Amino acid sequence: MGKGGRSEPITNGPSKRVNEDDVWVSPYNPLDAKAPTLPSKGEIKAVIPKECFERSYMHSMYFVFRDTAWAVALVYATNHFLSTELPAEFLSLDALKWFLGWNFYAFWMGCILTGHWVLAHECGHGAFSPSQTFNDIVGFILHQALLVPYFAWQYTHAKHHRRTNNLIDGESHVPSTGAENGLGPNNERLSFYAVLHDAMGDGAFAAFQVWTHLVIGWPLYLLGMASTGRIAYDGTPMEDGEFFDHYRPGSRMFPPKIRTKITLSTLGVLATLALLVKLSLDYGFLTVALWYTFPYMWTNSWLVLYTWLQHTDPSVPQYGQDEWTWVKGALSTIDRPYGIFDYFHHTIGSTHVAHHLFHEMPFYKADVATAAIKEYLEPMGLYNYDPTPWYMAMWRIAKTCHYVEDTKGIQYYRSMEDVPRSKDVQKKQE
């Protein structure tokens, strides 16, 4: 956003920050007069080997057993070396071992369980096996164990794929506007995030962005308090004070025909919570927190991180209803390198472009499909791959992607750091 206001929303190009510090920039700019014509979905699919779309019960279930074996092995080793009882003395080597050991377990168990989460995600898309009934049974079990309302999420995530980077009808990580973040028509800091950034400063606000996304972002999203779309299933806008949550069968996020499934998902979550409470009463709340809650929080962090980073960058466009098309949205996805975590998370972040183009494709064929897609799209400047390490990309996005100027036309993320601070405005006025 320029510092002089927010007129002409359709012509808002990428932020000037895009060309700073030798950072990655998406090769596609729809506002460029030389922007290439986008291929159709069919044209892209034609370059992918047909075997990439073949789904296998055995191949998919192998990964369920593999990930479960990792989880069992980690539980066995942790149980052998660590106790759930608090150390007798907090300032001791035993206490340090206890603290580091349980943090090690929480991080890696959260990492492993993210693999189970991704497999359930495959089930929701119909990519796990040729039978959607089988997919739903496996996905329901895996997701409900992680307190995910499977059928509710299945519906909203499908919408996320249907309306990727759509500023009005998108779902999950839908950008908010400057006005919704507390900016006035001339960039006055009036309320909410605009005032919070002014008080906190750049670095602290970026850290706050990371915390809100990775720690509380997922439960807030499920409760309908953050990052949901702007319109209901029937195309009517969200009303003031309304929540599009994942638990109420009557939530206007869902059409009436799937309310039974939404009820089943919510009952599944309640049953899992009841079991956790029962275990806490029997064995202690600390015990359940160490074995389940802290890994669960790491899993939530991973899944939000992936969705956040795969669709967010100051050089990647967001589209209003008047400009959006399915291909534009799908090609706004970004592949990133995740190192060893690709093994545990089934390459969900490094093959995300292929996944958004063809969600019915099983993940174990996505590497081959990605190579074919890259070979086809990259010469046209239509393939997004950011080689920046994910943790550095996360920090950059936390600093630069805070809001868009409007929900019409073609928009790019803007940063609160580019809005004059109140103290600087006051100095100029003095």
Side-chain angles (χ1 to χ4, degrees):
M1 178 179 80
K3 296 184 178 181
R6 291 193 300 279
S7 61
E8 303 296 333
I10 287 183
T11 60
N12 286 330
S15 166
K16 294 179 179 178
R17 288 172 169 270
V18 163
N19 297 316
E20 293 179 355
D21 302 324
D22 194 31
V23 297
W24 174 81
V25 176
S26 173
Y28 177 63
N29 179 357
L31 296 174
D32 190 333
K34 299 180 180 179
T37 301
L38 301 184
S40 68
K41 182 179 181 180
E43 290 172 329
I44 300 173
K45 187 174 184 178
V47 307
I48 301 173
K50 292 182 179 179
E51 57 266 25
C52 288
F53 295 91
E54 296 174 358
R55 298 162 292 175
S56 165
Y57 292 97
M58 295 298 294
H59 204 162
S60 295
M61 285 303 298
Y62 158 75
F63 287 101
V64 175
F65 292 126
R66 189 202 74 174
D67 291 355
T68 302
W70 274 111
V72 170
L74 183 56
V75 168
Y76 177 82
T78 303
N79 189 57
H80 180 74
F81 288 105
L82 295 173
S83 168
T84 57
E85 295 183 3
L86 287 170
E89 296 183 15
F90 285 100
L91 299 177
S92 65
L93 288 177
D94 285 342
L96 182 62
K97 171 191 169 185
W98 188 90
F99 178 80
L100 294 177
W102 280 112
N103 273 277
F104 177 90
Y105 165 81
F107 176 81
W108 284 108
M109 182 57 80
C111 179
I112 293 167
L113 293 178
T114 302
H116 291 84
W117 206 105
V118 172
L119 294 173
H121 158 269
E122 289 280 296
C123 293
H125 279 302
F128 191 80
S129 81
S131 168
Q132 191 54 45
T133 299
F134 184 77
N135 294 340
D136 286 342
I137 291 172
V138 175
F140 185 86
I141 293 171
L142 293 177
H143 260 176
Q144 300 298 150
L146 294 169
L147 296 176
V148 180
Y150 173 76
F151 289 114
W153 171 87
Q154 182 185 47
Y155 178 84
T156 59
H157 191 67
K159 183 181 178 183
H160 164 68
H161 274 255
R162 291 195 307 269
R163 299 289 187 270
T164 305
N165 282 32
N166 186 312
L167 288 165
I168 296 296
D169 200 20
E171 180 66 36
S172 175
H173 295 274
V174 180
S176 52
T177 65
E180 289 168 339
N181 279 278
L183 287 176
N186 296 306
N187 287 345
E188 310 96 320
R189 294 176 180 265
L190 302 178
S191 63
F192 199 37
Y193 274 168
V195 172
L196 188 62
H197 173 268
D198 204 26
M200 296 179 72
D202 296 343
F205 186 77
F208 176 72
Q209 287 286 298
V210 172
W211 182 82
T212 54
H213 277 81
L214 303 191
V215 180
I216 62 174
W218 177 244
L220 288 180
Y221 171 65
L222 291 180
L223 290 168
M225 300 175 68
S227 193
T228 59
R230 290 183 165 88
I231 60 178
Y233 76 91
D234 58 359
T236 57
M238 178 188 290
E239 299 175 358
D240 290 342
E242 185 177 16
F243 290 94
F244 286 173
D245 65 274
H246 283 71
Y247 300 108
R248 290 178 300 121
S251 171
R252 292 204 309 127
M253 179 181 283
F254 308 112
K257 65 180 181 180
I258 66 167
R259 286 178 179 173
T260 300
K261 287 186 172 182
I262 306 306
T263 301
L264 184 61
S265 293
T266 301
L267 291 175
V269 170
L270 292 174
T272 304
L273 285 172
L275 176 60
L276 291 171
V277 171
K278 178 67 166 58
L279 291 172
S280 298
L281 293 173
D282 291 345
Y283 299 99
F285 285 90
L286 177 61
T287 298
V288 173
L290 292 172
W291 285 115
Y292 180 89
T293 308
F294 297 140
Y296 164 77
M297 293 178 68
W298 273 111
T299 296
N300 291 350
S301 295
W302 276 113
L303 69 95
V304 171
L305 177 75
Y306 280 119
T307 312
W308 188 22
L309 297 193
Q310 304 320 122
H311 302 288
T312 308
D313 187 89
S315 69
V316 170
Q318 309 282 330
Y319 299 98
Q321 293 277 57
D322 52 333
E323 289 284 349
W324 182 89
T325 66
W326 184 89
V327 172
K328 282 182 179 180
L331 292 182
S332 296
T333 308
I334 310 163
D335 282 344
R336 300 182 185 276
Y338 287 89
I340 190 175
F341 301 111
D342 268 341
Y343 170 82
F344 290 101
H345 302 161
H346 310 297
T347 66
I348 190 65
S350 59
T351 61
H352 212 70
V353 174
H355 172 65
H356 257 264
L357 286 166
F358 307 105
H359 62 263
E360 69 277 14
M361 180 193 303
F363 72 89
Y364 43 81
K365 303 290 184 67
D367 284 335
V368 174
T370 294
I373 289 170
K374 179 180 179 181
E375 184 178 0
Y376 176 64
L377 293 178
E378 195 169 48
M380 293 185 280
L382 295 175
Y383 175 68
N384 288 326
Y385 176 77
D386 181 1
T388 308
W390 61 268
Y391 48 88
M392 295 176 64
M394 177 186 69
W395 183 248
R396 177 172 180 252
I397 289 169
K399 287 176 66 66
T400 60
C401 297
H402 299 150
Y403 66 95
V404 293
E405 297 183 337
D406 207 319
T407 58
K408 300 177 182 177
I410 298 171
Q411 299 291 328
Y412 286 86
Y413 268 108
R414 305 307 191 199
S415 173
M416 286 291 177
E417 295 184 14
D418 295 331
V419 179
R421 303 282 291 276
S422 297
K423 61 181 180 181
D424 296 330
V425 174
Q426 291 176 354
K427 287 181 181 180
K428 288 183 179 181
Q429 292 175 344
E430 292 175 356

